Amino acid sequence: MGFLRRLLGGTDRPADEDPADEASPAGMLDQGALDEEERARELELARFDQERVGELVRRQQRYATRSWTPPPQGGDRRAGDEDGSSGQG
């Protein structure tokens, strides 16, 4: 949530808190810890996504030779083609 608040320009502090307190070393440590937690969470999500996508790709490759295609219908001749055996003339 802190990431979205910073991205959209909001603040993480209560309204009655002094903005000068952010510059204090304790505030910087808290911010650094939050940033580290966010990076760890994003890395975990990226790894999970990579594993999931990897599984889907392996499954697609495994069954690629078993894909079904419909049987061909009709022949080479089409409705507008000239045909010598039409019975006319």
Side-chain angles (χ1 to χ4, degrees):
M1 269 317 230
F3 170 75
L4 291 176
R5 286 185 184 131
R6 286 192 307 276
L7 182 68
L8 299 174
T11 61
D12 287 338
R13 65 182 183 272
D16 60 340
E17 188 175 316
D18 185 18
D21 290 341
E22 268 187 26
S24 69
M28 295 177 104
L29 290 176
D30 291 341
Q31 188 64 35
L34 288 174
D35 288 342
E36 187 62 34
E37 287 177 16
E38 285 179 21
R39 281 190 215 109
R41 174 73 176 148
E42 288 179 14
L43 183 60
E44 180 184 337
L45 288 174
R47 286 181 182 155
F48 172 74
D49 222 20
Q50 185 177 12
E51 289 173 8
R52 185 177 60 88
V53 169
E55 179 183 335
L56 293 174
V57 169
R58 285 191 302 271
R59 185 181 304 155
Q60 287 175 343
Q61 291 172 347
R62 184 181 327 139
Y63 295 111
T65 59
R66 298 182 182 136
S67 64
W68 178 83
T69 55
Q73 296 180 359
D76 293 336
R77 192 170 147 239
R78 297 290 175 239
D81 288 348
E82 296 282 329
D83 186 30
S85 63
S86 66
Q88 293 180 356

